[in-house]
């Protein structure tokens, strides 16, 4: 059974940092593009970042320069380092597998809540 | 930017009825349109991809149609467990999600 389990969410002050982690099991992790997608009160579902199986990286304009995605295939893990956090970054962050290699999201984690507030 | 507009915002129906949800793209997405179901407190679940193909394990009560800019998700013989918010997503021009349709059974 495919599973994606996120961790690392929490409450952080504006301008602060947080690191999210996601462990994938039940599939050949290294073969898949992995994404972070968030769900915020203001924008609904919003794609944040992707790291493909060849370690090419893409970011949404809204997080470019502030967020860093990485992966460790030996640990079946993908990470999202978030810095300079803003109120509008508040939301649930999902770790998501792309089944097609082109933005088809077939497996989602349960999500981890990030709250940016003073 | 290719914007997806979903309608109606809310749909209230009875068990056994059929639901018709619409997703309209501001520019053609060819057939690269997917539908997801999200229940309260849960992650979205892939239902339909490439406009009309059911994802693994999705009942035949769920069907998708359309191409270009106009797409429809149809759910027949509604069950209480079908309640939730349904989102469309395009992957033709970068990617984007619609704002969702809430279905109440």
């Amino acid at each position: 059974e495919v599973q994606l389990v996120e961790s690392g969410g929490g409450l952080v002050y504006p301008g602060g940092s947080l690191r999210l982690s996601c462990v994938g099991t039940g599939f050949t992790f290294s073969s898949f593009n992995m994404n972070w997608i968030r769900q915020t009160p203001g924008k609904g579902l919003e794609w944040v970042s992707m790291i493909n199986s060849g370690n090419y990286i893409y970011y949404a304009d809204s997080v470019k320069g502030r967020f860093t995605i990485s992966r460790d295939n030996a640990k079946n893990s993908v990470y999202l380092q978030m810095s300079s956090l803003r109120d509008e970054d508040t939301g649930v962050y999902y770790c998501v597998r792309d089944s097609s290699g082109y933005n088809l999201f077939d497996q989602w984690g349960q999500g981890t809540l990030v709250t940016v507030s003073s | 930017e290719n914007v997806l507009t979903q309608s109606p915002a809310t749909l209230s129906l009875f068990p056994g009825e059929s639901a018709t949800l619409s997703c309209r793209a501001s520019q053609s997405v060819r057939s690269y349109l997917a539908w997801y179901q999200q229940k309260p407190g849960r992650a979205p679940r892939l239902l339909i991809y490439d406009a009309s193909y059911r994802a693994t394990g999705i009942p035949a009560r769920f069907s998708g149609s359309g191409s270009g800019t106009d797409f429809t998700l149809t759910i027949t013989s509604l069950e209480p467990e079908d309640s939730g918010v349904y989102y469309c997503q395009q992957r033709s021009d970068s990617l984007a999600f619609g704002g969702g349709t809430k279905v109440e059974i």
Side-chain angles (χ1 to χ4, degrees):
Chain A
E1 180 195 5
V2 172
Q3 276 199 313
L4 296 167
V5 179
E6 303 97 335
S7 60
L11 174 63
V12 61
Y13 288 115
S17 298
L18 213 54
R19 188 194 194 214
L20 306 183
S21 301
C22 169
V23 178
T25 57
F27 64 104
T28 305
F29 185 84
S30 59
S31 297
F32 288 85
N33 298 350
M34 297 300 298
N35 296 262
W36 289 96
I37 294 173
R38 66 186 180 185
Q39 190 164 28
T40 66
K43 290 192 171 183
L45 287 168
E46 181 187 17
W47 172 80
V48 173
S49 183
M50 184 266 277
I51 184 166
N52 74 8
S53 55
N55 277 323
Y56 282 90
I57 288 171
Y58 304 86
Y59 298 103
D61 287 344
S62 58
V63 306
K64 204 172 290 183
R66 301 188 298 121
F67 290 11
T68 302
I69 192 172
S70 61
R71 68 190 297 165
D72 183 341
N73 290 333
K75 295 183 178 179
N76 288 344
S77 294
V78 60
Y79 308 99
L80 188 68
Q81 177 67 48
M82 305 185 294
S83 59
S84 302
L85 283 162
R86 306 167 180 167
D87 291 350
E88 57 265 34
D89 295 318
T90 293
V92 177
Y93 284 70
Y94 294 102
C95 172
V96 184
R97 187 181 82 168
D98 176 356
S99 68
S100 69
Y102 193 55
N103 300 329
L104 182 61
F105 305 122
D106 72 326
Q107 297 290 339
W108 297 62
Q110 85 285 356
T112 188
L113 177 62
V114 172
T115 304
V116 183
S117 176
S118 54
Chain B
E1 183 186 355
N2 201 341
V3 176
L4 297 179
T5 302
Q6 293 189 240
S7 61
T10 304
L11 205 48
S12 297
L13 296 164
F14 292 98
E17 292 188 319
S18 294
T20 301
L21 287 66
S22 173
C23 178
R24 177 164 290 177
S26 57
Q27 303 169 49
S28 174
V29 299
R30 295 174 282 174
S31 293
Y32 294 116
L33 196 286
W35 291 93
Y36 299 82
Q37 175 196 62
Q38 186 177 33
K39 297 183 180 182
R42 304 287 297 272
R45 176 177 71 145
L46 178 66
L47 298 176
I48 301 287
Y49 65 95
D50 292 352
S52 61
Y53 296 90
R54 277 188 300 278
T56 303
I58 303 303
R61 302 186 294 105
F62 293 86
S63 63
S65 62
S67 66
T69 60
D70 291 296
F71 299 86
T72 300
L73 175 69
T74 303
I75 314 170
T76 59
S77 303
L78 281 164
E79 300 179 2
E81 68 198 45
D82 297 331
S83 293
V85 180
Y86 291 77
Y87 296 95
C88 56
Q89 175 236 329
Q90 66 86 6
R91 61 191 186 102
S92 172
D93 170 15
S94 184
L95 75 93
F97 291 91
T101 290
K102 183 176 183 180
V103 175
E104 300 172 332
I105 311 298

